[in-house]
Amino acid sequence: MEKVYVVGHRNPDTDSISSAIVYAHLKRELGMNAEAVRIGEVQNETAFALEKFGFEAPRFIEKASHDVKHIILVDHNEKQQSVEDIDDVQVIEVIDHHRIANFQTADPLYFRAEPVGCTATILNKLFKENGVDIPANIAGLMLSAIISDSLLFKSPTCTEQDIAAAKELEAIAGVDALEYGLAMLKAGADLSGKTLEDLLTLDAKEFGIGDYKVEIGQINAVDVNEIMVNQGELEDLIYRKIAEKGLDLFLFVVTDILNNDSVALALGSQAGKVEQAFGVPFVNNVGVLKGVVSRKKQVVPVLTEALSK
Amino acid sequence: MEKVYVVGHRNPDTDSISSAIVYAHLKRELGMNAEAVRIGEVQNETAFALEKFGFEAPRFIEKASHDVKHIILVDHNEKQQSVEDIDDVQVIEVIDHHRIANFQTADPLYFRAEPVGCTATILNKLFKENGVDIPANIAGLMLSAIISDSLLFKSPTCTEQDIAAAKELEAIAGVDALEYGLAMLKAGADLSGKTLEDLLTLDAKEFGIGDYKVEIGQINAVDVNEIMVNQGELEDLIYRKIAEKGLDLFLFVVTDILNNDSVALALGSQAGKVEQAFGVPFVNNVGVLKGVVSRKKQVVPVLTEALSK
């Protein structure tokens, strides 16, 4: 039977890796020859979850079209966040919880996006709608994804649906969500062994906003200053990325997972608009974004508004 | 409570009008102040269905942003097929069964597209998922939409899901689907009182395909020749549209609802590619497309392939 890849976004987070594994499992139960793959390194937080629930990381691929004709996207829909040869394969399904942009098909497809905090929350519905039971270890991965995306239910992206799904999955997985979740987030915020280049790219996403090319990197930390003390070197690395990719803006967001504020470093020709966008002063390219933890809900819409003027 | 419009595409067909009414009903049951509206004339076929099941046509609007901040799109997602001021309102939901293109949001939303034959088939699931009963007259409208989009289950767009949904809805509505359906389709194919301009615009949709601007008009008929005898006048009208809208191609498809073939008239700078696309001769701008009844499944993908080369 023809193979179909299920893939999350570049620089995959826990939701992207977990949702690829989980949805591939569901599709196999429904008779599809689906394989979860990834297009980036597994992060510490995700590795913690995979080990806890006994999964191998999905296979790493660079391109899809050599192996398959059809792919399923989870946790993203924007072309520039996906496999580089996405134009050479047919996207037959999308399960996502982000804005929709830079996505186009020639044929109708199954596209399920919902304004919830995590792809796994939608997958939880899809298991029910298809009458398929969720195994305990799959439930554990789904719970991990919700905890990751919601920063343990504290992000403004977290909805009642995410909390309800997490409760169901917690019971199936047989773990304590708060205790396990904090351990997982701390494993993710452990930046020992990471280079500054790693910090910039681990969870970076590129966006087309208005006429501008914008990259937003985000990293969770327990001690923000430990990262920002390297501002000079970070700026050198970011300027190199701006030049290489032709970016109009690079925003590097360091999120404190304990107090839920972020510190942002903005560089590029449109950096001046970031200050206006958030209405806070940026001194020496750096500003404090109080209560901002969500790129999707608190950064991208604000920049979209500011850069579209 | 803030009002939200539910709207189908321009030149609305029975699915667009019905789905607006049906989904507005469901959203009201779920507590939203939703009103079905339309952005085009009600066609004979749709009027037949509305009268049969005791509904008024949705209110006609030209623009949305004077009245509401949020809208829900049904049966379409492409910007150029929607309200003209769509950029001035926020699309909060989309329920659709077409390709996805020219659609972009700043925020996450509920976007439910499935590769089925009719929006009403998806709405049938949404009633179940939300635990809301379908009243008999609402079921009748949904059945009408499925019959219309599937040409009484004969279109290649018709899936097993559409047939299963139609059977459920037939029972709730208390009508005979085949008998009622043929009467409805014949009412729609009754072109008496229509001008040639009406025939071109009644069910015309504009598409961005590759770099080209393409408009495809489709009309159902019992006697195709009755329409094509006016080819000269039709061409005059089409050339005027091409000039006014800056189109690269206008394809007018006349579908015989009894034998399920279509006759197509192609004009514009890219008309030559239509012949290649379908692999049939076009003589004097006209070609016969055997077994072609679906714009979505049998015309748009073929043109997309041909115009993207």
Side-chain angles (χ1 to χ4, degrees):
Chain A
M1 194 198 301
E2 186 210 332
K3 178 168 276 190
V4 174
Y5 281 165
V6 182
V7 67
H9 55 71
R10 292 184 198 177
N11 304 324
D13 57 6
T14 300
D15 188 24
S16 262
I17 295 286
S18 298
S19 291
I21 294 172
V22 169
Y23 199 48
H25 170 85
L26 175 58
K27 296 307 280 189
R28 284 196 301 274
E29 290 288 308
L30 297 172
M32 185 186 277
N33 182 11
E35 182 188 357
V37 294
R38 65 183 162 91
I39 50 175
E41 293 305 306
V42 172
Q43 299 179 31
N44 288 345
E45 179 195 280
T46 310
F48 185 90
L50 291 173
E51 183 173 348
K52 169 79 180 176
F53 296 105
F55 287 93
E56 297 287 326
R59 191 160 57 83
F60 175 79
I61 61 162
E62 289 196 320
K63 294 189 174 186
S65 62
H66 298 314
D67 311 320
V68 297
K69 285 182 186 159
H70 299 110
I71 66 171
I72 293 172
L73 309 184
V74 291
D75 198 31
H76 73 298
N77 68 83
E78 301 192 41
K79 185 190 279 199
Q80 76 283 2
Q81 296 171 0
S82 197
V83 287
E84 59 184 76
D85 60 343
I86 190 164
D87 287 334
D88 302 325
V89 293
Q90 188 184 353
V91 178
I92 56 170
E93 293 192 30
V94 177
I95 316 291
D96 192 16
H97 66 121
H98 296 89
R99 73 166 193 170
I100 296 169
N102 306 308
F103 182 83
Q104 175 139 354
T105 61
D107 291 282
L109 75 164
Y110 188 91
F111 193 116
R112 179 83 170 253
E114 301 194 20
V116 293
C118 183
T119 306
T121 300
I122 306 168
L123 295 180
N124 188 47
K125 295 185 188 185
L126 292 181
F127 274 92
K128 291 180 193 171
E129 289 170 20
N130 287 286
V132 175
D133 286 336
I134 304 178
N137 60 345
I138 290 279
L141 272 194
M142 293 166 78
L143 176 65
S144 303
I146 296 174
I147 290 167
S148 170
D149 270 9
S150 71
L151 270 183
L152 211 43
F153 316 118
K154 286 184 294 192
S155 166
T157 58
C158 187
T159 68
E160 287 176 23
Q161 292 188 47
D162 298 297
I163 293 170
K167 280 197 178 134
E168 293 173 16
L169 295 165
E170 180 183 26
I172 299 171
V175 294
D176 181 280
L178 292 182
E179 187 185 337
Y180 163 70
L182 193 59
M184 186 192 78
L185 289 180
K186 280 190 174 165
D190 176 8
L191 304 174
S192 56
K194 301 289 181 203
T195 66
L196 294 178
E197 174 69 22
D198 290 340
L199 302 189
L200 290 175
T201 54
L202 273 174
D203 185 14
K205 285 186 184 174
E206 196 178 309
F207 299 87
I209 300 183
D211 296 328
Y212 302 111
K213 210 170 159 184
V214 176
E215 186 161 329
I216 307 174
Q218 186 174 22
I219 196 90
N220 289 341
V222 172
D223 181 356
V224 170
N225 288 328
E226 195 183 323
I227 295 172
M228 294 309 293
V229 72
N230 304 296
Q231 185 180 347
E233 286 169 80
L234 286 167
E235 290 191 355
D236 290 344
L237 291 167
I238 291 173
Y239 279 125
R240 183 181 297 256
K241 285 181 193 297
I242 288 172
E244 283 171 358
K245 298 187 178 180
L247 301 172
D248 301 292
L249 172 64
F250 191 108
L251 192 69
F252 181 52
V253 180
V254 184
T255 300
D256 185 324
I257 62 164
L258 298 182
N259 74 14
N260 301 311
D261 295 329
S262 291
V263 168
L265 170 61
L267 297 176
S269 65
Q270 300 303 313
K273 292 192 181 153
V274 176
E275 189 171 62
Q276 300 164 28
F278 288 98
V280 297
F282 271 60
V283 178
N284 189 23
N285 305 322
V286 171
V288 176
L289 310 179
K290 297 292 285 182
V292 170
V293 298
S294 167
R295 171 168 50 197
K296 183 172 74 171
K297 197 139 184 168
Q298 297 174 294
V299 178
V300 172
V302 171
L303 288 182
T304 300
E305 174 74 18
L307 291 175
S308 303
K309 278 173 187 165
Chain B
M1 193 198 302
E2 185 210 335
K3 178 168 278 193
V4 174
Y5 281 164
V6 183
V7 68
H9 56 71
R10 293 185 197 174
N11 304 324
D13 59 5
T14 299
D15 190 24
S16 262
I17 295 287
S18 298
S19 290
I21 294 172
V22 170
Y23 198 48
H25 170 86
L26 175 57
K27 296 306 282 189
R28 283 195 302 271
E29 289 290 308
L30 297 172
M32 183 185 280
N33 182 11
E35 181 188 359
V37 294
R38 64 183 162 92
I39 51 175
E41 292 305 308
V42 172
Q43 299 179 32
N44 288 345
E45 179 194 280
T46 311
F48 184 91
L50 291 172
E51 183 173 348
K52 169 79 180 177
F53 296 104
F55 287 93
E56 297 286 326
R59 192 159 58 83
F60 175 80
I61 61 162
E62 288 195 325
K63 295 188 174 188
S65 62
H66 297 316
D67 311 321
V68 297
K69 285 183 186 159
H70 299 110
I71 66 170
I72 293 172
L73 309 186
V74 291
D75 197 32
H76 73 298
N77 66 83
E78 300 192 41
K79 184 191 276 199
Q80 76 283 2
Q81 296 170 2
S82 199
V83 286
E84 60 184 74
D85 60 343
I86 188 162
D87 287 334
D88 302 325
V89 292
Q90 188 183 355
V91 178
I92 55 169
E93 292 192 33
V94 177
I95 316 292
D96 193 15
H97 67 123
H98 296 88
R99 73 165 193 171
I100 296 168
N102 305 307
F103 182 82
Q104 175 140 354
T105 61
D107 290 284
L109 75 164
Y110 188 91
F111 193 115
R112 179 83 170 255
E114 301 194 20
V116 292
C118 182
T119 305
T121 300
I122 307 167
L123 296 180
N124 188 46
K125 296 184 187 186
L126 293 180
F127 274 92
K128 291 178 192 175
E129 289 169 21
N130 287 286
V132 175
D133 286 335
I134 304 178
N137 59 345
I138 289 280
L141 270 195
M142 294 166 79
L143 176 65
S144 304
I146 296 175
I147 290 168
S148 169
D149 270 8
S150 70
L151 270 183
L152 208 45
F153 316 118
K154 286 183 294 189
S155 167
T157 59
C158 186
T159 68
E160 287 176 23
Q161 291 188 48
D162 298 297
I163 293 170
K167 280 197 179 132
E168 293 173 18
L169 296 165
E170 181 184 24
I172 300 172
V175 293
D176 180 281
L178 293 182
E179 187 185 337
Y180 163 69
L182 194 60
M184 185 193 78
L185 289 181
K186 280 190 174 164
D190 175 8
L191 303 174
S192 56
K194 301 291 181 200
T195 65
L196 295 178
E197 174 69 24
D198 289 341
L199 302 189
L200 290 176
T201 53
L202 273 173
D203 184 14
K205 285 186 184 174
E206 197 178 307
F207 299 88
I209 299 183
D211 296 330
Y212 302 112
K213 210 170 158 186
V214 176
E215 187 161 328
I216 307 174
Q218 186 175 22
I219 197 92
N220 288 342
V222 173
D223 181 357
V224 170
N225 287 329
E226 196 183 324
I227 294 172
M228 293 310 292
V229 73
N230 303 296
Q231 186 181 343
E233 284 169 83
L234 286 167
E235 290 192 356
D236 290 345
L237 291 167
I238 291 173
Y239 279 124
R240 184 182 296 256
K241 285 181 193 299
I242 288 172
E244 283 172 358
K245 297 187 177 180
L247 301 172
D248 300 292
L249 172 64
F250 191 108
L251 191 69
F252 179 53
V253 179
V254 184
T255 300
D256 185 323
I257 62 164
L258 299 181
N259 72 13
N260 300 310
D261 296 329
S262 290
V263 168
L265 170 61
L267 297 176
S269 65
Q270 299 303 311
K273 291 192 181 153
V274 176
E275 188 170 63
Q276 299 162 31
F278 288 99
V280 297
F282 270 61
V283 178
N284 188 23
N285 305 322
V286 171
V288 176
L289 309 179
K290 296 293 285 183
V292 170
V293 298
S294 166
R295 171 168 50 198
K296 182 171 75 170
K297 198 139 185 168
Q298 297 173 294
V299 177
V300 171
V302 171
L303 288 182
T304 300
E305 174 73 17
L307 292 176
S308 302
K309 282 174 185 167

